[in-house]
């Protein structure tokens, strides 16, 4: 949304499953393990949501076309299209990503399988504090499949790896799993 929409319309992520006492269309997807989000107005008008259509004491209740803000719906549609276009244009997520845990160090050793897109340009390492909901930092690391993040401990940050194509489209980040190489045989 920040890249494709005017600054007058910027969605806010709310890190909660849903509104209190109500569900959304996304809930069933989340329960089955699929990532899903729900768009809603920040300040709901309860006269027109979750109500049977009726007039009571001169007040019209119910979800009726005359109460729909079509300009707002158009902006939400643009957010959806921008998200879908970004995902469709981006390279695949890096696969088989691991954090190598053999070394006891304040560096973080990462490894992943190469992507096969012909327009792949490079990979980025992203990281955030363990209590942060969004990526705070990124570092382009070239077209490599291993990288050591010096001075940043795997115990103190959440890491991800994403692929970037020549047009600058970024894949969603892959979370690396911990992996310990077996000791070398003598």
């Amino acid at each position: 949304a920040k890249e494709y929409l005017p600054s007058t319309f910027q969605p806010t992520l709310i890190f909660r499953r849903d509104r209190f006492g109500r569900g959304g269309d996304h809930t069933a997807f989340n329960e089955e393990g699929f990532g899903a989000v729900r768009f809603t107005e920040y300040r709901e008008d309860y006269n027109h949501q979750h109500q049977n259509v009726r007039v009571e004491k001169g007040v019209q209740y119910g979800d009726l076309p005359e109460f729909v803000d079509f300009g707002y719906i158009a902006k939400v549609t643009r957010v959806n299209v921008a998200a879908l276009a970004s995902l469709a244009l981006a390279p695949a997520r890096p696969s088989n990503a691991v954090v190598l845990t053999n070394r006891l160090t304040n560096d973080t050793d990462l490894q992943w399988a190469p992507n096969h897109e012909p327009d792949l340009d490079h990979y980025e390492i992203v990281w955030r504090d363990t209590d942060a909901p969004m990526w705070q930092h990124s570092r382009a690391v070239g077209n490599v499949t291993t990288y050591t993040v010096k001075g940043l401990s795997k115990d103190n940050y959440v890491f991800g790896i994403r692929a970037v194509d020549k047009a600058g489209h970024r894949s969603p980040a892959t979370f690396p799993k911990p992996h310990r190489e077996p000791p070398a045989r003598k």
Side-chain angles (χ1 to χ4, degrees):
K2 288 178 184 174
E3 287 187 42
Y4 297 108
L5 297 174
S7 60
T8 57
F9 185 77
Q10 291 298 311
T12 300
L13 291 174
I14 297 177
F15 295 97
R16 156 180 321 190
R17 180 176 167 176
D18 209 337
R19 303 159 294 174
F20 287 102
R22 299 177 314 282
D25 295 337
H26 68 297
T27 305
F29 290 96
N30 291 152
E31 288 171 348
E32 294 298 322
F34 294 98
V37 296
R38 175 183 56 82
F39 286 94
T40 187
E41 294 177 68
Y42 186 73
R43 298 188 195 285
E44 297 178 85
D45 183 342
Y46 298 112
N47 288 344
H48 304 296
Q49 292 177 247
H50 315 291
Q51 297 284 344
N52 292 329
V53 176
R54 68 187 187 284
V55 175
E56 193 173 290
K57 297 182 182 175
V59 176
Q60 177 69 61
Y61 290 90
D63 190 7
L64 297 167
E66 58 261 33
F67 302 116
V68 175
D69 182 342
F70 291 100
Y72 179 81
I73 290 173
K75 291 174 184 175
V76 170
T77 302
R78 287 184 191 101
V79 171
N80 281 316
V81 170
L84 291 171
S86 294
L87 290 169
L89 293 169
R93 291 175 184 235
S95 61
N96 301 318
V98 295
V99 175
L100 299 174
T101 60
N102 291 54
R103 297 186 322 136
L104 291 176
T105 175
N106 284 314
D107 298 338
T108 298
D109 300 317
L110 300 165
Q111 180 179 305
W112 58 95
N115 281 42
H116 299 292
E117 292 89 354
D119 63 340
L120 180 76
D121 189 64
H122 66 278
Y123 296 93
E124 287 181 341
I125 306 302
V126 292
W127 67 95
R128 64 182 186 227
D129 293 332
T130 59
D131 62 348
M134 307 292 285
W135 298 118
Q136 297 169 298
H137 311 279
S138 68
R139 179 177 299 162
V141 298
N143 195 349
V144 298
T145 57
T146 62
Y147 188 79
T148 297
V149 185
K150 300 277 188 193
L152 295 178
S153 171
K154 59 195 155 289
D155 296 319
N156 299 335
Y157 297 94
V158 175
F159 288 92
I161 303 151
R162 62 186 178 197
V164 184
D165 69 15
K166 290 180 175 138
H169 302 114
R170 289 166 169 76
S171 73
T174 297
F175 291 94
K177 296 178 182 174
H179 179 74
R180 181 179 293 270
E181 294 286 337
R185 292 184 178 215
K186 294 183 180 183

